[in-house]
Amino acid sequence: MTKKVLVTYGDGYGPTVIRAAESVLRAVAPDLEISRGKIGADAYDNTSYALPPETIELIAQADAILSGPTMMKGIPERDPLVTIKKQMGLYLEYGEFFRLCDYMGTVDLDTVVLSPTVESTLNVYETESLDGVASEYYTSMDQLSKIFPRSIELAEMRRRRKVELVSDNTMYPIREKLIRSEFRKNYAASEFIVGDLSTKVATFRLAHDPQSVDTLLCDIHSATCIWGQNMGLIGGSGLMPRAFFGDKKSLYMASEVYPGEVAGRELNPTSAILSVAVMLLSFGEEEAYHQIVKAVREMYRIGRTTPDVGGKLNAEKFAEGVKKLVLPEMNS
């Protein structure tokens, strides 16, 4: 059955990088059924909805979404990407971190990071008083229990060998106890080498011995730290793939660009193109995944990149270079 993909450009730098990634997707996987929908500030300006009914209908029909960021400042509606994660039941966030070339990053890293999607697995209720703020965290065990078998599928998809749980039991000991129990139960019959790390130990090993770190399954409170450190180790934010998985649907995005990064980083389509590669891998197209990653790394190796990382190409030309490298390989 032909897979259906919805492309939403979003706002800000989204149209630039998502158009580049979409062109790679269409070239490498011409049999996909691709549609387009509007979300975010651009959609609100044109329809008075940040998530228009027409886009909601397309989401229901799609197997996957490729999306740019949304800029919701000053718009009196919930961020549509948050709604999409909830609506599609996307409970597991997925990221890859690897060195693109010798002149970027500080270490030879090759790590997959998995973590619960905050919007789908955790509800926070805060009450302010004269004495302070009371916070109540509600964990959906129904969603949380799905994370572990799905994480096994994704680790197998990437042919990983070792999966380590990263969590700390100091702040939320009952939640952490449940997470450890589910981790051990689900991975007991798997063929993975498994381990259990604190956040401190995980961050130390990433800095001191990164090649020993294979796949990290992080709880929400550890994930932010781990994601940030990995971005620094590979050379910056906005470069690696980012995806959200549910039972049957998935969302692929350009990775967030952190404030203070190199000017122009937001116009670099590397993250969006690598997210397309992960999408194709999730569709069972392993060769396409490897060829896209290989082509992106080759573009970096020979210096044919966007200005933020030392090159002279715009997003469209970078995507064209990736396609020229990928298509002969796939047809040989």
Side-chain angles (χ1 to χ4, degrees), residues 43 105 131 143 195 226 286:
D131 298 325
Q143 294 290 63
I226 298 298
E286 187 172 2

Side-chain angles (χ1 to χ4, degrees), residues 108-111 160-164 193 197 201-202 204-216:
D108 189 9
L109 189 70
D110 182 12
T111 300
R160 313 304 286 194
R161 295 184 62 252
K162 181 169 64 174
V163 179
E164 294 173 290
I193 301 168
L197 307 174
V201 172
F204 171 78
R205 277 185 39 200
L206 280 167
H208 183 69
D209 186 17
Q211 292 184 345
S212 71
V213 181
D214 185 329
T215 301
L216 299 178

Side-chain angles (χ1 to χ4, degrees), residues 50 72 75-83 86:
M72 298 296 292
I75 296 177
E77 286 194 23
R78 173 187 279 184
D79 187 334
L81 289 173
V82 173
T83 303
K86 282 183 170 289

Side-chain angles (χ1 to χ4, degrees), residues 16-18 20-21 238-239 254 265-275 300 306 308 314-316 318-319:
T16 300
V17 299
I18 298 301
L239 296 172
R265 176 65 53 86
E266 67 272 11
L267 300 180
N268 184 336
T270 299
S271 172
I273 291 172
L274 291 176
S275 292
Y300 272 76
T306 48
D308 59 301
N314 61 23
E316 180 183 1
F318 181 82

Side-chain angles (χ1 to χ4, degrees), residues 16-323:
T16 300
V17 299
I18 298 301
R19 282 194 184 97
E22 181 188 2
S23 73
V24 174
L25 180 63
R26 290 181 180 275
V28 175
D31 294 333
L32 292 177
E33 186 177 322
I34 299 176
S35 60
R36 290 179 182 162
K38 289 182 176 292
I39 63 170
D42 178 57
Y44 187 82
D45 289 342
N46 287 279
T47 69
S48 298
Y49 294 98
L51 186 58
E54 296 82 359
T55 303
I56 293 175
E57 187 174 335
L58 291 171
I59 290 171
Q61 298 169 2
D63 297 295
I65 297 175
L66 173 65
S67 179
T70 50
M71 309 297 183
M72 298 296 292
K73 186 176 181 180
I75 296 177
E77 286 194 23
R78 173 187 279 184
D79 187 334
L81 289 173
V82 173
T83 303
I84 287 170
K85 291 171 192 175
K86 282 183 170 289
Q87 188 180 75
M88 296 178 70
L90 307 180
Y91 48 78
L92 188 61
E93 186 170 1
Y94 173 99
E96 297 181 3
F97 299 91
F98 51 83
R99 201 173 189 179
L100 289 165
C101 58
D102 290 341
Y103 59 81
M104 287 187 64
T106 59
V107 295
D108 189 9
L109 189 70
D110 182 12
T111 300
V112 169
V113 178
L114 304 165
S115 61
T117 304
V118 176
E119 296 88 347
S120 298
T121 62
L122 188 68
N123 291 319
V124 182
Y125 305 95
E126 292 186 316
T127 304
E128 189 174 4
S129 69
L130 293 176
D131 298 325
V133 178
S135 298
E136 180 181 350
Y137 282 55
Y138 174 76
T139 298
S140 169
M141 284 307 299
D142 178 54
Q143 294 290 63
L144 199 61
S145 64
K146 294 179 180 181
I147 287 170
F148 299 96
R150 194 72 172 100
S151 70
I152 291 174
E153 293 175 7
L154 293 173
E156 289 174 341
M157 178 184 81
R158 282 289 282 108
R159 300 185 182 276
R160 313 304 286 194
R161 295 184 62 252
K162 181 169 64 174
V163 179
E164 294 173 290
L165 179 69
V166 182
S167 62
D168 299 287
N169 60 6
T170 53
M171 188 174 294
Y172 306 103
I174 298 176
R175 173 188 167 91
E176 300 295 342
K177 182 179 179 180
L178 290 171
I179 287 174
R180 283 190 170 88
S181 174
E182 287 291 318
F183 176 74
R184 294 181 184 124
K185 181 173 70 176
N186 280 271
Y187 278 84
S190 76
E191 296 183 359
F192 292 103
I193 301 168
V194 297
D196 190 341
L197 307 174
S198 68
T199 306
K200 289 180 181 179
V201 172
T203 55
F204 171 78
R205 277 185 39 200
L206 280 167
H208 183 69
D209 186 17
Q211 292 184 345
S212 71
V213 181
D214 185 329
T215 301
L216 299 178
L217 178 55
C218 305
D219 194 13
I220 289 170
H221 304 93
S222 305
T224 301
C225 178
I226 298 298
W227 276 73
Q229 182 176 14
N230 277 308
M231 287 180 184
L233 291 172
I234 59 92
S237 63
L239 296 172
M240 291 287 105
R242 187 184 187 196
F244 298 84
F245 288 91
D247 290 332
K248 296 181 180 179
K249 295 178 181 285
S250 47
L251 166 67
Y252 304 84
M253 298 181 61
S255 187
E256 180 183 5
V257 180
Y258 286 176
E261 279 279 80
V262 179
R265 176 65 53 86
E266 67 272 11
L267 300 180
N268 184 336
T270 299
S271 172
I273 291 172
L274 291 176
S275 292
V276 160
V278 174
M279 177 193 295
L280 294 174
L281 180 62
S282 72
F283 289 165
E285 302 292 337
E286 187 172 2
E287 180 186 359
Y289 165 84
H290 287 295
Q291 293 300 341
I292 291 173
V293 172
K294 179 181 177 182
V296 168
R297 293 178 111 166
E298 178 63 13
M299 291 289 284
Y300 272 76
R301 187 191 69 82
I302 61 179
R304 298 194 66 229
T305 58
T306 48
D308 59 301
V309 285
K312 298 180 179 179
L313 302 182
N314 61 23
E316 180 183 1
K317 293 295 184 182
F318 181 82
E320 288 178 5
V322 171
K323 287 185 289 185

